[in-house]
Amino acid sequence: MEPADCQQRPGAHYRRIAAAAPSLLPLLLACVLAGCGGDKAVREAAPRADAGRDWPVVAPADPAKANAVLMRAISLVGTPYRYGGNTPEGGFDCSGLVNYVYRDMLDMRLPRTSRDLASMQGPRIRPRELAGGDLVFFGSGGTVSHVGIYVGEGRFVHAPSTGGTVRLDRLDGSWWRDHYSGARRLLF
């Protein structure tokens, strides 16, 4: 086998790279220095939504009942929303979810609408006193239009809107915080 025929003088390609090196030096220097940022982040990470709010743990009056309600409510996350719905098979609206969970787990019969649930007898609860199983209400202009079940750590389970599913949300989310209208305790 014969060696390949080369029309260039030996080492000519090395001379071309050496000739181009001065024009490539600033680019090479910039790449090297870009990796020398030290161990500090270029910018701080955005604070978590819950960073400013400390949610104390409040023990429910009846932990066994509260646990049954919470486990059932959380198990329904992902169930489709349906206006007027009150079963896992047919879907839920907000008050239908609350009614189903309390009826299924504790055989409690509750009013059907969020407005009627909010006007039930029972202690009004401040946000820092919420315990698992408390009902949380939302609305505007003094009118309650939505309800969920508080599960702890600033979170609640609810059936939010058409096209959605039962889900967990944070009370300190901007819409929920701005429309929070109170809470009621059913387990006392």
Side-chain angles (χ1 to χ4, degrees):
M1 177 181 224
E2 293 184 331
D5 184 15
C6 182
Q7 301 298 324
Q8 294 181 330
R9 296 182 316 271
H13 59 285
Y14 295 115
R15 282 191 295 275
R16 265 191 308 233
I17 292 173
S23 63
L24 294 175
L25 187 59
L27 178 63
L28 180 61
L29 186 58
C31 290
V32 168
L33 291 177
C36 295
D39 62 350
K40 292 185 180 179
V42 174
R43 67 177 178 198
E44 291 183 25
R48 290 180 26 195
D50 62 336
R53 186 73 189 242
D54 179 31
W55 294 97
V57 177
V58 176
D62 188 332
K65 287 182 179 179
N67 190 54
V69 166
L70 300 180
M71 292 299 109
R72 187 61 174 137
I74 291 169
S75 76
L76 295 167
V77 167
T79 304
Y81 176 91
R82 186 177 65 102
Y83 181 77
N86 60 3
T87 66
E89 299 77 27
F92 292 108
D93 66 8
C94 64
S95 58
L97 173 68
V98 168
N99 268 273
Y100 176 80
V101 168
Y102 275 87
R103 185 179 62 247
D104 188 43
M105 299 313 298
L106 304 178
D107 198 29
M108 286 179 74
R109 308 291 178 202
L110 300 174
R112 179 59 178 96
T113 67
S114 56
R115 189 175 10 259
D116 290 340
L117 284 164
S119 64
M120 285 177 50
Q121 293 294 324
R124 284 181 133 350
I125 308 300
R126 292 184 296 197
R128 294 193 53 78
E129 297 171 347
L130 288 168
D134 289 345
L135 301 185
V136 289
F137 298 97
F138 306 90
S140 60
T143 302
V144 170
S145 58
H146 192 67
V147 62
I149 301 171
Y150 185 72
V151 298
E153 297 179 353
R155 296 173 302 161
F156 66 105
V157 174
H158 65 123
S161 62
T162 302
T165 61
V166 173
R167 69 181 192 216
L168 275 166
D169 270 321
R170 298 198 58 83
L171 286 171
D172 53 11
S174 62
W175 196 92
W176 305 111
R177 180 187 61 241
D178 294 345
H179 292 87
Y180 180 82
S181 63
R184 291 273 189 221
R185 181 156 295 153
L186 300 181
L187 305 174
F188 51 89

